[in-house]
Amino acid sequence: MRRSYKIYAFVVLLIITVLAVFDSLNSSNAAEDVRTEKDALVQKVTRLEKENENKSNLFNEVREEKKSLEENLSQLEEEVETLRSAIEYKEYIAALSTIESYKASQSFQEATKFMAFKDGQGYFTTDKAGNCPCGFGFNGKGFEWIPNAVLDLKEFRIEKDKVYLTYNTAEDIKTNYQFVMTKAIGKYDSVKKWRIEDIKLEMKNK
């Protein structure tokens, strides 16, 4: 009977030992799995950090490049504006020179040289010999030419392909003259340059 108990106790002890061995093996495998997973996570975090660093560097490079492009664009815009202003000033001086020559005209025939030759414009005189009163027609509106009527420049502006020059006139004339200048050929020559397209009247009390 005692022998049976010993055998029984031995079997129980053996089972416990086997279970302990298996438990130890399972724990060891679980620990290895945890270590493997931890290593994988560390590698993933390291890779993500590297990617984030690369993206941050790329962002900084793009930002610096954008800033540089904006500075270059601003500089180009300034250069274009300077060039445009220079061209406008040159054209303004040329248009102004036309009116200064028109002002100095002492005959109606001489004054007609500064007019644009185009549809809607014409000339009129009292007789075939060209005696005055005489003047110009602008789209059906008559403008009487009077020698020495134009005085000094009052104001000007530039709009697209036209220059507007407003001049004071002699005291006995009730209106100032605004010359609308455009590049066109003339009655006596086909050279395209600044000429008078229209003359508008502006009341002096404005």
Side-chain angles (χ1 to χ4, degrees):
M1 188 74 175
R2 186 176 296 176
R3 182 182 176 88
S4 296
Y5 282 127
K6 288 182 179 180
I7 293 172
Y8 178 75
F10 176 77
V11 170
V12 170
L13 182 61
L14 181 62
I15 292 173
I16 291 172
T17 301
V18 170
L19 290 175
V21 170
F22 277 114
D23 185 63
S24 177
L25 289 174
N26 289 334
S27 297
S28 177
N29 291 337
E32 183 64 25
D33 291 341
V34 169
R35 281 195 297 271
T36 301
E37 186 175 354
K38 177 184 176 183
D39 291 341
L41 288 174
V42 169
Q43 291 178 0
K44 185 175 182 179
V45 169
T46 302
R47 186 176 70 254
L48 289 174
E49 288 178 345
K50 187 64 176 179
E51 290 177 358
N52 184 60
E53 181 181 355
N54 291 338
K55 288 180 180 179
S56 178
N57 292 336
L58 179 62
F59 175 77
N60 290 332
E61 290 177 5
V62 171
R63 184 173 58 185
E64 290 298 321
E65 185 176 356
K66 179 176 178 290
K67 182 179 178 181
S68 177
L69 288 173
E70 287 175 346
E71 291 175 351
N72 291 337
L73 178 61
S74 178
Q75 184 178 353
L76 286 173
E77 287 175 345
E78 290 178 2
E79 292 176 358
V80 169
E81 181 62 26
T82 299
L83 181 60
R84 186 180 67 83
S85 297
I87 292 173
E88 284 189 347
Y89 181 74
K90 180 182 177 181
E91 299 296 346
Y92 159 72
I93 292 298
L96 191 68
S97 177
T98 297
I99 299 302
E100 292 302 312
S101 298
Y102 169 84
K103 284 169 56 178
S105 301
Q106 294 301 309
S107 69
F108 178 66
Q109 184 175 4
E110 184 179 359
T112 59
K113 295 190 301 183
F114 306 105
M115 297 293 158
F117 186 65
K118 57 194 304 185
D119 293 339
Q121 291 189 209
Y123 312 93
F124 63 85
T125 58
T126 54
D127 55 36
K128 292 182 179 180
N131 295 316
C132 290
C134 47
F136 309 103
F138 301 108
N139 298 313
K141 296 180 296 182
F143 173 83
E144 183 180 359
W145 178 75
I146 302 173
N148 305 315
V150 184
L151 301 179
D152 55 307
L153 180 67
K154 178 184 177 185
E155 59 187 18
F156 77 93
R157 73 176 189 273
I158 300 173
E159 291 183 4
K160 295 182 180 179
D161 59 344
K162 298 186 189 298
V163 177
Y164 296 81
L165 303 170
T166 302
Y167 278 80
N168 294 313
T169 56
E171 290 184 6
D172 57 338
I173 299 177
K174 296 181 180 180
T175 58
N176 290 324
Y177 296 162
Q178 184 188 69
F179 295 92
V180 181
M181 309 298 294
T182 188
K183 279 190 171 181
I185 62 172
K187 182 179 180 180
Y188 306 109
D189 66 79
S190 57
V191 178
K192 196 171 185 180
K193 59 184 179 180
W194 286 104
R195 300 179 193 268
I196 302 168
E197 180 183 66
D198 194 2
I199 303 176
K200 299 180 182 296
L201 305 180
E202 180 185 276
M203 297 303 295
K204 289 186 176 181
N205 59 358
K206 285 187 178 181

